[in-house]
């Protein structure tokens, strides 16, 4: 769903940037029963980006950010014909850290949180996902986050720190 929070801004800006570099990008987006039917042009206009990415909305009962719905959405994504024909799955969904090993194609996940420090009891699951043959590694937004993953036993060679940028004016009024 379009919105000017950092997660959505980063997702669309990444898709646009990759497509401007010649990468064929298809966004697979859940469409709940109350969600608007959107086009890629709608997203480009809303987020004010350029790039020839495609958008495919899939009807689903699993639209939402909570973990159970995210896991069920990923299950649907893993069986989608568009995914099965893709070269790579690039996801920003935190649930991918637990379900990535089920992906039928090579994947990477982009994260900004220090999940291994925040949820230390889940570290074995994170290691399993990262050691999966289809996992290409993790994209992280800071050295601070990368340190959490290294402390969890993830090989530094499987971690890419790619600082994301933000335009504060796009995120709304500053907090007083």
């Amino acid at each position: 769903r379009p919105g000017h929070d950092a997660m959505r801004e980063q997702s669309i800006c990444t898709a646009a940037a990759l497509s401007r570099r010649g990468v064929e990008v298809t966004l697979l987006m859940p469409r709940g029963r109350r969600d608007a039917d959107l086009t890629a042009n709608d997203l480009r206009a809303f987020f004010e980006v350029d790039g020839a990415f495609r958008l495919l909305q899939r009807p689903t009962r699993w639209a939402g950010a909570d973990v159970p719905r995210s896991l069920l959405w990923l299950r649907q994504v893993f069986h989608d014909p568009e995914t099965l024909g893709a070269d790579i799955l690039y996801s920003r969904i935190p649930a991918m850290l637990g379900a990535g090993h089920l992906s039928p194609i090579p994947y990477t996940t982009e994260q900004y949180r220090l999940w291994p420090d925040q949820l230390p009891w889940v570290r074995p699951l994170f290691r399993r996902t990262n050691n999966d043959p289809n996992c290409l590694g993790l994209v992280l937004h800071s050295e601070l986050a990368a340190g959490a993953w290294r402390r969890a036993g993830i090989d530094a060679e499987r971690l890419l720190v790619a600082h994301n940028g933000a335009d504060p004016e796009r995120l709304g009024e500053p907090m007083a």
Side-chain angles (χ1 to χ4, degrees):
R1 298 173 183 110
H4 287 299
D5 57 84
M7 175 89 163
R8 290 181 176 104
E9 289 274 343
Q10 185 66 22
S11 295
I12 302 304
C13 287
T14 298
L18 288 170
S19 67
R20 287 192 307 271
R21 301 287 289 179
V23 177
E24 187 177 315
V25 176
T26 301
L27 295 173
L28 203 57
M29 181 185 288
R31 188 179 73 234
R33 59 187 167 150
R34 294 187 184 123
D35 291 342
D37 190 13
L38 301 172
T39 67
N41 284 334
D42 294 331
L43 289 183
R44 282 188 280 274
F46 183 85
F47 291 99
E48 300 173 351
V49 297
D50 294 316
F53 59 83
R54 293 174 47 222
L55 170 66
L56 296 176
Q57 281 185 294
R58 296 296 195 228
T60 186
R61 298 182 305 190
W62 315 121
D66 60 85
V67 173
R69 277 193 260 196
S70 292
L71 288 168
L72 290 166
W73 166 245
L74 283 173
R75 182 174 176 258
Q76 184 175 338
V77 167
F78 295 158
H79 291 91
D80 192 285
E82 193 71 27
T83 301
L84 298 174
D87 294 325
I88 184 174
L89 176 61
Y90 190 100
S91 172
R92 297 191 83 234
I93 300 172
M96 191 73 172
L97 294 166
H101 70 284
L102 300 172
S103 176
I105 64 171
Y107 64 92
T108 188
T109 182
E110 180 180 338
Q111 303 293 318
Y112 67 94
R113 302 268 306 262
L114 286 70
W115 291 117
D117 287 352
Q118 294 170 326
L119 303 171
W121 58 89
V122 189
R123 286 178 176 185
L125 184 63
F126 295 157
R127 284 191 294 270
R128 179 190 70 188
T129 296
N130 198 261
N131 290 327
D132 178 65
N134 269 346
C135 182
L136 302 174
L138 303 177
V139 178
L140 305 166
H141 293 188
S142 68
E143 280 297 330
L144 181 67
W149 292 94
R150 286 190 298 270
R151 287 189 296 279
I154 305 298
D155 186 349
E157 290 184 13
R158 298 184 58 83
L159 305 174
L160 170 66
V161 175
H163 302 282
N164 66 335
D167 181 353
E169 292 186 21
R170 293 194 46 76
L171 300 177
E173 291 297 316
M175 296 176 65

